[in-house]
Amino acid sequence: MSSGVSNLAMGEPSGHDRDLDRMKQAAERYRQAMASEKDRERLIEDYLPLVKSIVSRMRHHFPDSYEMEDMYGIGAKALVVSVNQFNPSKGKSFGNYAALRIRGSLLDELRRIDSLPRANRAKAKSLQATIAEMEARDKRPPEVDEIRKELSLT
C-alpha cells in the first residue's frame, strides 16, 4: 500500500489476526473430528508408529529386565491422553505434542523404577566420567586411591 494507509485503517485483518483465525479454525476442525469415536480411533492408529519409534529409541535407557510390551503400553496410553487433551489453538502440531507426551511418560516410568534418587544418579555418572577420563589419560584402569585423589576424597 503505497498510499501510507495501514491494513487496519482499510479494515483488513493483520497477519497476527489471520494466524489467530487459522488456529481457531483448526481447533474447531479438531473438535469436530474428535466428536466421532471412529475419527479418534483412526488418529490413534495413525500415530502408533510414533509410539514404536520413541520406545525403540528410549529402550537402551531401561533395564534389560523391563518388558518392551510394558513400554509400548505406557507410550500408547500417553498417545490416547494426547488425543484427548490436544489443543490445536495453541499453534503446535499434534505429532510434536504427542511425541513430547509419550517421551515424558516413558521418562516418568524410568524415574519411577529407578532405585537411585536423581542426585545419586548424577554422582554416579560423574564418577564414571572421571574414571573414563583417567583411563584415557593414563592408558590404564585407575586404582581406587587414584580415583579418591582425583575426586579429592579421603
Side-chain angles (χ1 to χ4, degrees):
M1 286 185 201
S2 57
S3 64
V5 179
S6 72
N7 286 355
L8 294 175
M10 298 285 297
E12 297 175 25
S14 69
H16 178 70
D17 290 339
R18 282 191 300 271
D19 289 343
L20 283 175
D21 285 342
R22 276 191 229 125
M23 284 190 283
K24 286 178 184 175
Q25 290 169 358
E28 184 56 34
R29 284 193 304 271
Y30 179 80
R31 275 192 285 281
Q32 289 171 356
M34 292 302 103
S36 160
E37 187 68 26
K38 185 178 176 183
D39 290 338
R40 283 182 72 255
E41 288 175 9
R42 191 177 78 238
L43 186 63
I44 291 168
E45 287 175 14
D46 288 347
Y47 279 89
L48 280 175
L50 179 64
V51 173
K52 185 176 181 179
S53 171
I54 293 170
V55 165
S56 66
R57 279 184 274 151
M58 292 187 69
R59 176 71 185 118
H60 71 278
H61 294 291
F62 282 77
D64 293 336
S65 60
Y66 202 86
E67 294 291 327
M68 229 20 197
E69 289 78 23
D70 292 339
M71 292 176 70
Y72 287 128
I74 291 165
K77 182 179 178 184
L79 176 60
V80 171
V81 169
S82 298
V83 167
N84 292 334
Q85 294 183 353
F86 179 64
N87 183 354
S89 65
K90 294 193 176 187
K92 303 287 183 197
S93 76
F94 176 75
N96 289 341
Y97 175 76
L100 186 67
R101 294 296 301 249
I102 294 164
R103 241 182 259 110
S105 292
L106 289 166
L107 287 172
D108 288 345
E109 178 64 9
L110 190 57
R111 288 183 193 112
R112 188 187 70 74
I113 65 171
D114 193 357
S115 58
L116 281 180
R118 273 189 187 178
N120 291 3
R121 179 71 57 200
K123 288 176 186 175
K125 281 181 109 174
S126 174
L127 175 61
Q128 288 174 332
T130 300
I131 292 170
E133 287 171 13
M134 292 175 73
E135 285 177 348
R137 181 187 69 214
D138 301 338
K139 309 280 192 257
R140 63 176 175 76
E143 299 291 327
V144 174
D145 290 338
E146 293 173 318
I147 296 170
R148 283 188 186 136
K149 185 178 177 185
E150 185 79 20
L151 295 173
S152 302
L153 300 175
T154 57

